């Protein structure tokens, strides 16, 4: 018998149809992945099983969990079910725990609620040990803020499995984590499901994660299930056009044009960047944290350089130093021979030759400005402002270059999708024809199909404009296709650099090898045409 | 936690030193000579000089500052220019009215605001929420002396449950004294409760949207349990801030209410002393109020740390 059976589930929230006719089954011990892009209804399906839908929700259809039709249960009965028969793990471990309670208390609370016969703290210690946080190393009295992201996610998992649920729902459990941490958490989930015979509903947008985890895949689009199948079969031979498109986008490759990279442009020489630590003793100078430690590299004109590394490795600090936003303690950064930071302030003559595209296409625009004003912001950096006609011409050119129409100049950012906004961000970076563009996790927040389009756009622009860029990302597969050379950063140092393909096929440094091994990959596909 | 407490304590002492200097300078710089005020405009120059010498006003300013601060540390606030009685005694008497009144009002305001704020947050957008929000809107808008007059009209004049003014004194028994403070405390508490309830509601609503509240629900807690066990403590920081500010305000800001109810409190004392240019009393009462504010802030800082472990860790 199935552990979870969803039959013809439809969901309306305030009269908007969110899910229609969703049907899926999960057997005990089975790992089922629900995948699809944002807005496809993956998370809502999970929340419908938990009966934790937002206010104004109206569901039809049948959800049977462990033999009970949960639509017929009262809220009190649902409360008894949640945390006991079904546990849930969320995406964002940094905020999923109560910051003012110890981790022991938070795990013990679930036990106290559902298993009054057990010693709550004893059981909490047991479960935390099981998820890899033994109390002799990580005491139960720790607060969440004293733990790393991966450790917090382990606590969230411990809360979810404390009462030995039959079904575990994991909603993008590793999206916010670094690749090596992601690999550990995925291993843990897989192991828990196998050992306890737990059903695991794994929600993820990342097909590569799915490939390594799931027995079966459910592909969702616009609130409906478009294809279901056994993982190996579905990935090898997807039937539905959307599944095919999703898979193609996930393994998207672009071809970069050849360029002449003999002329040097950006030169980073022995750069050190320290941050002062808070003073601990009154009469002792405060210590410092070395965020960037003796980093040197060159970017030639026409170079397309990737910078990879896990969070906290110093990528962002290095980027800020390159953009001249912060002084460095030692070393030199020059663009075309001129220092980016001189006499205690950013060198404006150099600043106007660099532009940056950020990760968040929603947060990086002033919502009250029209596109024309947003993308012409870099004009402030110029010594002579362009004339009105020239300005208009440049706007048209930039918008056309990124695949938008000149009429879009009169619209506001909220009228665009995430991918379109990232195009606007690229137009803003292009408009003054900078020598160097920094893409700071520029495609990380995008869905795979949109990401594929933006990568194509960048490749096109390389042909048209001879771009030179530094592409910073934690996503190795993206860096592999969009750069010629790659720098691998760890703990403030560049541990390896070289031609992208060479580094990926034959990594020299053990850390590079760890990174590449930890990154989930899709199986090589044989095309069935 | 000990480091944190010591750090806050140090900042308390520094604030006090700075405050005493500022109060002294500002009041000394303000025009008006207490001696000539006391003796009237026709006083002889030598009589004035004699009085100034007697009051210690002829000494250099820094010396007067040092002796003022030195005295205060030992509990000696000097002699009132006007009444020739020790300031400490005058303040002591008044404090026994103002302090209980402030505490009484604060307790009432908390007792009204917390349940109202929690109730409104739990029923966001529903009629209950709108009712509470409407009432607090009125509470914020209407000045406390209007409440005071209405309370007198209803409970003192019509119902004759309370007296319309005056203070029975603690020697008449605890309940008699408390009874004479009840109407003033309610009048002071209502507008404060309205503000506090609004802060409580919005702080709770912020917390209700947090991810860990969803985690709490996924554990199997009911909506109410999640709110009480995980929501309240996280919402306390803004509420504590407002509570601290309100206490400081209530201690000195009851001046109009003290007038309306004819209570011999600190507010009235400072008002009368300013009118009479009784500088030493003004200085001392101001210093006392500053001390109270700083002390309350210190207590609020400690309460923050008790509520939020992240603050303990940061220092």
């Amino acid at each position: 018998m199935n552990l979870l059976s969803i039959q013809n589930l439809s969901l309306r929230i305030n009269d908007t149809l969110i899910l229609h006719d969703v049907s899926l089954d999960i057997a005990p011990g089975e790992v089922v992945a629900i995948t699809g892009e944002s807005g496809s209804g993956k998370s809502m399906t999970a929340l419908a099983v938990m009966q934790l839908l937002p206010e104004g929700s109206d569901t039809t259809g049948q959800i049977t969990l462990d033999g009970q039709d949960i639509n017929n249960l009262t809220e009190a009965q649902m409360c008894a079910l949640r945390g006991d028969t079904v546990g849930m793990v969320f995406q964002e471990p940094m905020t999923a725990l109560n910051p003012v309670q110890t981790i022991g208390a938070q795990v013990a609370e679930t036990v106290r609620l559902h298993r009054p016969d057990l010693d709550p703290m004893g059981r909490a210690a047991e479960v935390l040990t099981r998820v890899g946080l033994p109390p002799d190393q990580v005491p139960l009295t720790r607060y969440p803020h004293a733990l790393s992201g991966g450790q917090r996610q382990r606590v969230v998992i411990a809360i979810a499995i404390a009462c030995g649920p039959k079904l575990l729902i994991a909603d993008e459990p590793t999206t916010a984590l670094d690749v090596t941490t992601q690999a550990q958490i995925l291993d843990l989930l897989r192991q828990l499901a196998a050992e306890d015979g737990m059903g695991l509903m794994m929600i993820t947008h990342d097909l590569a994660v799915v490939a390594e985890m799931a027995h079966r895949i459910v592909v969702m689009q616009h609130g409906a299930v478009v294809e279901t199948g056994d993982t190996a079969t579905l990935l090898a031979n997807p039937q539905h056009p959307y599944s095919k498109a999703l898979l193609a986008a996930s393994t998207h490759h672009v071809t970069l044009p050849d360029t002449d990279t003999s002329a040097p442009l950006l030169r980073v020489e022995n750069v050190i960047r320290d941050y002062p630590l808070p003073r601990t003793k009154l009469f002792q100078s405060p210590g410092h944290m070395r965020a960037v430690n003796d980093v040197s590299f060159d970017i030639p004109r026409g170079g397309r350089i990737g910078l990879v590394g896990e969070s906290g490795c110093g990528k962002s600090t290095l980027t800020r130093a390159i953009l001249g936003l912060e002084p460095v303690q030692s070393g030199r950064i020059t663009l075309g021979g001129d220092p980016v930071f001189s006499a205690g302030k950013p060198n404006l003559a150099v600043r106007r030759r660099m532009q940056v595209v950020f990760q968040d296409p929603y947060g990086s625009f002033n919502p009250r400005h029209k596109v024309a004003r947003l993308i012409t912001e870099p004009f402030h950096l110029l010594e002579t402002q362009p004339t009105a006609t020239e300005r208009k011409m440049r706007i048209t050119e930039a918008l056309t270059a990124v695949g938008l129409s000149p009429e879009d100049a009169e619209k506001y950012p909220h009228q665009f999708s995430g991918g379109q906004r990232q195009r606007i961000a690229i137009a803003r970076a292009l408009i003054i024809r900078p020598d160097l563009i920094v893409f700071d996790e520029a495609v990380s927040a995008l869905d795979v199909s949109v990401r594929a389009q933006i990568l194509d756009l960048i490749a096109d622009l390389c042909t048209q404009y001879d771009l030179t860029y530094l592409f910073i990302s934690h996503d190795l597969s993206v860096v592999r296709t969009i750069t010629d050379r790659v720098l691998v950063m760890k703990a403030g140092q560049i541990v390896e650099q070289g031609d992208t393909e060479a580094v990926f096929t034959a990594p020299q440094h053990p850390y590079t090898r760890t990174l590449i091994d930890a990154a989930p990959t899709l199986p090589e596909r044989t095309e069935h045409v | 936690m000990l480091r944190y407490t010591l750090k806050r304590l140090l900042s308390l002492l520094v604030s006090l030193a700075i405050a005493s200097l500022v109060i002294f300078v500002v009041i000394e710089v303000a025009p008006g000579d207490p001696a000539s005020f006391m003796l009237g405009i026709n006083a002889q120059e030598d009589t004035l000089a004699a009085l100034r010498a007697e009051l210690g006003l002829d000494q250099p300013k820094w010396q007067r500052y040092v002796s003022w601060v030195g005295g205060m540390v030992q509990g000696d606030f000097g002699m009132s220019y006007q009444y020739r009685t020790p300031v400490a005694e005058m303040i002591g008497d008044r404090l026994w009215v103002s302090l209980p009144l402030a505490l009484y009002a604060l307790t009432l305001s908390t007792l009204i605001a917390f349940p109202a704020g929690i109730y409104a947050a739990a029923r966001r957008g529903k009629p209950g929420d709108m009712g509470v929000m409407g009432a607090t809107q009125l509470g914020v808008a209407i000045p406390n002396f209007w409440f005071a007059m209405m309370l007198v009209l209803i409970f003192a004049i019509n119902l004759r449950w309370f007296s319309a003014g005056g203070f029975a004194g603690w020697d008449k028994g605890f309940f008699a004294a408390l009874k004479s403070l009840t109407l003033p405390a309610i009048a002071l508490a209502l507008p404060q409760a309205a503000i506090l309830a609004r802060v409580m509601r919005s702080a709770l609503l912020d917390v209700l949207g947090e991810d860990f509240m969803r985690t709490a629900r996924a554990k199997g807690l009911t909506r109410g349990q999640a709110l009480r066990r995980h929501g309240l403590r996280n919402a306390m920081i803004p509420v504590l801030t407002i509570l601290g500010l309100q206490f400081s305000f209530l201690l000195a800001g009851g001046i109009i209410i003290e007038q309306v109810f004819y209570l011999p409190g600190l507010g009235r004392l400072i008002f009368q002393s300013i009118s009479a240019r009784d500088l030493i009393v003004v200085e001392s009462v101001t210093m006392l109020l500053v001390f109270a504010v700083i002390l309350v802030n210190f207590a609020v800082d400690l309460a923050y740390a008790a509520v939020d472990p992240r603050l303990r860790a940061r220092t």
Side-chain angles (χ1 to χ4, degrees), chain A residues 39-170:
Chain A
S40 61
K42 311 182 293 283
S43 294
M44 283 301 161
T45 309
L47 290 176
V49 175
M50 295 294 282
Q51 296 278 293
L52 285 178
L53 290 164
E55 274 181 48
S57 301
D58 180 29
T59 53
T60 56
Q62 205 180 28
I63 303 175
T64 318
L65 176 63
D66 196 26
Q68 297 184 78
D69 181 353
I70 66 166
N71 285 334
N72 294 335
L73 296 183
T74 62
E75 175 59 21
Q77 287 169 315
M78 249 345 271
C79 283
L81 209 70
R82 284 185 211 119
D84 189 18
T85 313
V86 51
M88 186 156 179
V89 177
F90 301 97
Q91 172 170 358
E92 195 40 81
M94 304 314 267
T95 53
L97 294 170
N98 184 346
V100 303
Q101 260 186 15
T102 62
I103 57 169
Q106 298 194 48
V107 179
E109 186 175 34
T110 321
V111 183
R112 209 169 280 132
L113 269 174
H114 302 288
R115 296 273 186 283
D117 50 311
L118 293 178
D119 161 35
M121 277 299 173
R123 176 68 184 159
E126 220 174 282
V127 181
L128 282 167
T129 308
R130 193 150 175 234
V131 299
L133 300 174
D136 51 329
Q137 287 167 30
V138 184
L140 297 176
T141 51
R142 284 272 171 89
Y143 286 96
H145 66 83
L147 303 181
S148 70
Q151 287 176 320
R152 291 188 207 195
Q153 196 62 306
R154 285 171 194 270
V155 177
V156 177
I157 293 173
I159 292 174
I161 64 159
C163 297
K166 293 181 176 156
L167 175 69
L168 182 64
I169 301 177

Side-chain angles (χ1 to χ4, degrees), chain B:
Chain B
M1 186 70 190
L2 184 69
R3 282 185 60 83
Y4 179 85
T5 311
L6 287 176
K7 252 183 144 163
R8 308 272 33 117
L9 206 59
L10 187 72
S11 106
L12 176 143
L13 292 175
V14 172
S15 313
L16 275 181
I18 295 173
S20 68
L21 199 64
V22 170
I23 290 168
F24 186 79
V25 168
V26 167
I27 290 182
E28 290 298 319
V29 163
D33 173 17
S36 54
F37 191 90
M38 285 160 75
L39 294 177
I41 42 169
N42 295 323
Q44 297 292 315
E45 197 48 49
D46 53 340
T47 338
L48 276 173
L51 184 61
R52 284 203 193 101
E54 192 193 328
L55 296 175
L57 290 171
D58 55 341
Q59 288 167 354
K61 289 213 155 82
W62 68 268
Q63 217 169 354
R64 280 168 46 213
Y65 173 71
V66 170
S67 66
W68 176 58
V69 172
M72 267 195 308
V73 171
Q74 296 163 32
D76 175 10
F77 289 69
M79 292 289 250
S80 158
Y81 302 153
Q82 194 187 5
Y83 299 106
R84 306 293 175 94
T85 51
V87 178
E89 200 175 286
M90 292 169 68
I91 292 179
D93 290 346
R94 308 300 183 102
L95 206 55
W96 276 108
V97 178
S98 287
L99 194 63
L101 179 61
L103 287 173
Y104 195 0
L106 199 70
T107 312
L108 286 179
S109 125
T110 310
L111 287 179
I112 300 168
F114 275 39
I118 295 168
Y119 176 86
R123 284 167 188 70
R124 180 188 199 168
K126 297 190 176 138
D129 178 27
M130 288 183 221
V132 171
M133 282 300 97
T136 58
Q137 191 83 57
L138 277 180
V140 173
I142 296 172
N144 56 15
F145 58 81
W146 186 85
F147 280 127
M149 294 188 310
M150 288 303 114
L151 288 170
V152 169
L153 198 66
I154 298 168
F155 295 102
I157 297 175
N158 287 340
L159 296 172
R160 297 185 175 276
W161 290 355
F162 296 92
S163 66
F167 180 60
W170 293 101
D171 48 352
K172 295 279 186 315
F174 178 74
F175 288 103
L178 205 63
K179 195 177 165 192
S180 49
L181 290 181
T182 299
L183 289 187
I186 295 174
L188 278 173
L190 285 178
Q192 306 294 325
I195 297 170
L196 200 60
R198 294 180 81 88
V199 173
M200 183 87 213
R201 173 183 178 268
S202 73
L204 263 180
L205 285 181
D206 282 349
V207 172
L208 287 180
E210 295 278 353
D211 285 351
F212 60 79
M213 293 303 285
R214 194 183 46 188
T215 309
R217 295 279 284 137
K219 277 180 183 179
L221 293 174
T222 64
R223 206 179 285 271
Q225 282 172 326
L227 186 80
R228 282 192 300 278
R229 294 191 198 172
H230 296 274
L232 268 186
R233 199 164 148 195
N234 278 289
M236 274 327 272
I237 293 268
V239 174
L240 280 173
T241 310
I242 298 296
L243 213 56
L245 290 175
Q246 292 197 336
F247 181 73
S248 317
F249 166 79
L250 288 172
L251 200 57
I255 183 160
I256 296 176
I257 294 297
E258 285 176 8
Q259 290 288 357
V260 172
F261 288 97
Y262 212 74
L263 292 175
L266 280 178
R268 266 167 69 91
L269 177 66
I270 202 166
F271 180 71
Q272 289 160 353
S273 308
I274 291 171
S275 323
R277 305 263 351 130
D278 200 345
L279 290 191
I280 188 101
V281 178
V282 177
E283 277 169 2
S284 301
V285 175
T286 313
M287 195 58 216
L288 184 83
L289 292 175
V290 168
F291 181 69
V293 170
I294 293 176
L295 203 67
V296 167
N297 280 344
F298 174 67
V300 169
D301 278 344
L302 291 191
Y304 283 162
V307 165
D308 194 334
R310 286 167 295 184
L311 292 173
R312 267 172 264 162
R314 205 172 293 160
T315 39

